[in-house]
């Protein structure tokens, strides 16, 4: 990792620190989560998105003071922890997950493990929040079918600030292994998010249908919250960045991209400065085994793109 350059290229910035981020092991995952989710690993798309962010943080405004970031489908929380560790000027980073199957419990366990590992100071800007895409969009709560759901009443999305642990004593061990935090009202719809981020979140038809609508709702509400906040009136519009492994499920990719467009979202593949343009994508269904590659997309509302083009 060579670090990055400040705007103008005059001052070299230190490389981001990610190697010491803790991810709980498979045994802990099996103890915590029984739903057949994909959240047990740090997938390459998350690392690719961080690689991109490190290179362009200053250019896209990610490193500016007061930035607010929401992550969808955070899984282990690795991406949100990486952002919290390396964006000291950020005001707030929220990692979200569904409660079903212990996914939210698993996310919080990983965040707390990083607090125990000595990252507590940088993680003070990081919180966790429940976001079940189904209930967020007005549907029924997601059920794991393993009988491990938390049946206690809770709103569709709720939030918590991770407890701050000062010492690594035996008395604090239970704090990292339970999901009994005091919940507070969701902040997803009331926050003027600068960025919404995610990586490889489409694995089934439900994801194809719901993720575009979740992106759209968050960007709409962030824009509305921004319009009502004088302190953010001159900032750039809320933007999403999504890292997606292409050709893993080719038919599902086609449906997902079409659904994003139907929701009024424009996806633009982006890359670091001076990085060669990847070869053109093959025609749909023209190859039996097309080569997979991770693409980073900037996701914007179509009306925002049209307004910018007209300016």
């Amino acid at each position: 990792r060579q670090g990055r350059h400040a705007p103008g290229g005059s001052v070299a910035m230190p490389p981001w620190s990610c190697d010491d981020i803790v991810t709980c092991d498979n045994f802990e995952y099996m103890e915590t989560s029984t739903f057949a989710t994909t959240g047990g690993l740090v997938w390459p798309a998350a690392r690719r998105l961080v690689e991109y962010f490190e290179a362009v943080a200053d250019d896209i405004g990610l490193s500016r003071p007061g930035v607010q970031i929401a992550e969808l489908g955070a899984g282990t929380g690795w991406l949100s922890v990486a952002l919290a560790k390396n964006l000291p000027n950020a005001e707030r980073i929220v990692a979200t997950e569904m409660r079903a199957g212990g996914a939210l419990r698993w996310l919080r366990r990983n965040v707390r493990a990083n607090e125990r590992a000595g990252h507590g100071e940088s993680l003070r800007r990081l919180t966790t929040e429940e976001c079940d895409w189904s209930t967020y969009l007005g549907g029924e709560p997601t059920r794991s079918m393993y009988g491990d759901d938390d049946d206690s009443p809770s709103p569709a999305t709720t939030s918590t600030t991770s407890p701050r642990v000062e010492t690594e004593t035996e008395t604090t061990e239970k704090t990292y292994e339970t999901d009994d935090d005091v919940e507070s009202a969701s902040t997803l719809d009331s926050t003027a998010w600068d960025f919404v981020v995610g990586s490889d979140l489409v694995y089934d038809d439900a994801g194809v249908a719901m993720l575009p609508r979740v992106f759209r709702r968050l960007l709409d509400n962030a824009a509305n919250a921004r319009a009502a906040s004088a302190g953010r009136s001159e900032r750039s519009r809320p933007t999403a960045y999504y890292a997606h492994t292409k050709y893993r499920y080719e038919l599902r990719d086609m449906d997902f991209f079409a659904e994003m467009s139907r929701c009024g979202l424009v996806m633009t593949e982006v890359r670091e400065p001076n990085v060669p343009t990847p070869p053109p994508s093959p025609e749909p269904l023209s190859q039996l085994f097309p080569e997979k590659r991770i693409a980073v997309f900037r996701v914007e509302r179509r009306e925002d793109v049209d307004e910018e083009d007209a300016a």
Side-chain angles (χ1 to χ4, degrees), residues 111-120 165 167-168 172-173 176-177:
V111 171
R112 292 163 184 164
N114 280 278
E115 290 171 337
R116 290 179 61 190
H119 304 320
V165 180
T167 62
E168 293 187 32
T172 63
E173 192 68 28
Y176 297 96
E177 311 227 353

Side-chain angles (χ1 to χ4, degrees), residues 156-227:
T157 55
T158 51
S159 66
T160 181
T161 300
S162 300
R164 306 303 167 195
V165 180
E166 302 297 333
T167 62
E168 293 187 32
T169 64
E170 290 292 327
T171 58
T172 63
E173 192 68 28
K174 185 174 183 295
T175 304
Y176 297 96
E177 311 227 353
T178 62
D179 191 28
D180 56 1
D181 301 292
V182 176
E183 304 287 358
S184 57
S186 170
T187 62
L188 283 179
D189 284 343
S190 60
T191 301
W193 302 110
D194 297 284
F195 298 95
V196 178
V197 302
S199 57
D200 268 352
L201 299 176
V202 177
Y203 290 87
D204 55 23
D205 293 339
V208 168
M210 289 191 289
L211 181 58
R213 288 164 174 77
V214 174
F215 272 135
R216 179 71 206 205
R217 176 169 164 176
L218 281 170
L219 292 177
D220 281 346
N221 289 330
N224 292 336
R226 183 182 305 273

Side-chain angles (χ1 to χ4, degrees), residues 70 108 133-135 158 191 197 211 269 281 297-298 304 308:
R108 290 174 174 167
W133 296 355
S134 179
T135 51
T158 51
T191 301
V197 302
L211 181 58
E269 186 172 353
S281 299
F297 292 98
R298 182 177 64 242
D304 292 337
E308 184 173 339

Side-chain angles (χ1 to χ4, degrees), residues 29-296:
Y29 180 67
M30 289 185 289
E31 290 176 355
T32 309
S33 177
T34 60
F35 193 21
T37 68
T38 58
L41 301 173
V42 179
W43 295 97
R47 299 184 187 277
R48 173 69 187 103
L49 189 56
V50 163
E51 182 181 67
Y52 171 76
F53 281 154
E54 178 179 4
V56 303
D58 301 312
D59 298 327
I60 67 174
L62 189 65
S63 59
R64 68 173 177 251
V67 73
Q68 300 193 87
I69 306 166
E71 182 188 2
L72 297 173
T76 65
W78 185 90
L79 173 56
S80 285
V81 171
L83 295 176
K85 278 174 50 63
N86 293 288
L87 295 174
N89 293 325
E91 178 180 329
R92 188 160 169 259
I93 297 166
V94 176
T96 69
E97 256 299 352
M98 63 180 177
R99 184 176 297 275
L104 181 62
R105 187 184 311 123
W106 171 246
L107 167 63
R108 290 174 174 167
R109 184 167 185 168
N110 278 275
V111 171
R112 292 163 184 164
N114 280 278
E115 290 171 337
R116 290 179 61 190
H119 304 320
E121 183 61 35
S122 62
L123 298 190
R124 290 185 183 278
R125 63 184 66 91
L126 172 62
T127 60
T128 58
E129 187 161 320
E130 181 185 355
C131 183
D132 182 328
W133 296 355
S134 179
T135 51
Y136 185 64
L137 297 173
E140 294 297 317
T142 302
R143 308 295 296 182
S144 77
M145 298 182 292
Y146 287 88
D148 63 329
D149 292 309
D150 180 356
D151 290 320
S152 59
S154 64
T157 55
T158 51
S159 66
T160 181
T161 300
S162 300
R164 306 303 167 195
V165 180
E166 302 297 333
T167 62
E168 293 187 32
T169 64
E170 290 292 327
T171 58
T172 63
E173 192 68 28
K174 185 174 183 295
T175 304
Y176 297 96
E177 311 227 353
T178 62
D179 191 28
D180 56 1
D181 301 292
V182 176
E183 304 287 358
S184 57
S186 170
T187 62
L188 283 179
D189 284 343
S190 60
T191 301
W193 302 110
D194 297 284
F195 298 95
V196 178
V197 302
S199 57
D200 268 352
L201 299 176
V202 177
Y203 290 87
D204 55 23
D205 293 339
V208 168
M210 289 191 289
L211 181 58
R213 288 164 174 77
V214 174
F215 272 135
R216 179 71 206 205
R217 176 169 164 176
L218 281 170
L219 292 177
D220 281 346
N221 289 330
N224 292 336
R226 183 182 305 273
S229 174
R232 294 180 181 269
S233 59
E234 296 182 359
R235 294 190 177 183
S236 60
R237 300 179 182 90
T239 306
Y241 283 90
Y242 177 59
H244 182 84
T245 302
K246 300 181 69 175
Y247 308 116
R248 183 180 47 189
Y249 311 112
E250 188 171 6
L251 290 173
R252 198 161 282 148
D253 281 358
M254 295 166 60
D255 292 341
F256 172 64
F257 296 144
E259 197 63 37
M260 291 286 278
S261 181
R262 278 193 289 269
C263 287
L265 297 172
V266 177
M267 299 180 70
T268 305
E269 186 172 353
V270 293
R271 61 193 65 86
E272 299 86 332
N274 303 318
V275 171
T277 301
S281 299
E283 290 296 320
L285 305 178
S286 63
Q287 297 182 6
L288 185 58
F289 299 109
E291 184 177 355
K292 299 176 186 177
R293 72 175 180 86
I294 300 171
V296 177

